[in-house]
Amino acid sequence: MSTKNNNPQKVKLSEEYRQLIALPILSELEANRMAEILELANLDESLNCLIEEIEMTEYLKLEKWNQGLRKLLKVVSTEEPSPTTPWQD
């Protein structure tokens, strides 16, 4: 992440946002904090750019993970079960 034109407060806010979007479930307090950060980003172009960069990075990570999962499921669904598999009758 490029931080040369961003003050430490903006970097801190963007890192807090990164941590929040990584959570599987948000509490009401966390959701409110995320909304506050997004409101600030709407008013500040450089913070908005940091947030967008984080969202794109997280999206790409998730997409890569989903592609791996889809490949695994395809392999698993096309394999014939072995006759010696213990869970078969």
Side-chain angles (χ1 to χ4, degrees), residues 7-19:
N7 70 35
Q9 181 64 22
K10 291 176 189 176
V11 172
K12 184 178 177 205
L13 285 170
S14 67
E15 285 304 314
E16 185 179 353
Y17 183 81
R18 181 190 305 274
Q19 291 170 1

Side-chain angles (χ1 to χ4, degrees), residues 44-57:
D44 185 308
E45 184 60 32
S46 61
L47 178 58
N48 191 49
C49 288
L50 288 171
I51 297 292
E52 286 179 354
E53 195 174 315
I54 289 167
E55 288 177 340
M56 184 54 71
T57 301

Side-chain angles (χ1 to χ4, degrees), residues 6-69:
N6 298 301
N7 70 35
Q9 181 64 22
K10 291 176 189 176
V11 172
K12 184 178 177 205
L13 285 170
S14 67
E15 285 304 314
E16 185 179 353
Y17 183 81
R18 181 190 305 274
Q19 291 170 1
L20 288 169
I21 66 169
L23 297 173
I25 298 173
L26 292 174
S27 69
E28 187 175 344
L29 184 65
E30 291 163 335
N32 288 339
R33 182 60 181 152
M34 183 183 278
E36 288 174 12
I37 294 171
L38 290 173
E39 283 180 37
L40 292 170
N42 280 334
L43 302 172
D44 185 308
E45 184 60 32
S46 61
L47 178 58
N48 191 49
C49 288
L50 288 171
I51 297 292
E52 286 179 354
E53 195 174 315
I54 289 167
E55 288 177 340
M56 184 54 71
T57 301
E58 293 302 314
Y59 170 79
L60 291 174
K61 281 186 206 170
L62 182 63
E63 190 57 30
K64 189 173 183 181
W65 184 86
N66 283 338
Q67 285 176 353
L69 183 60

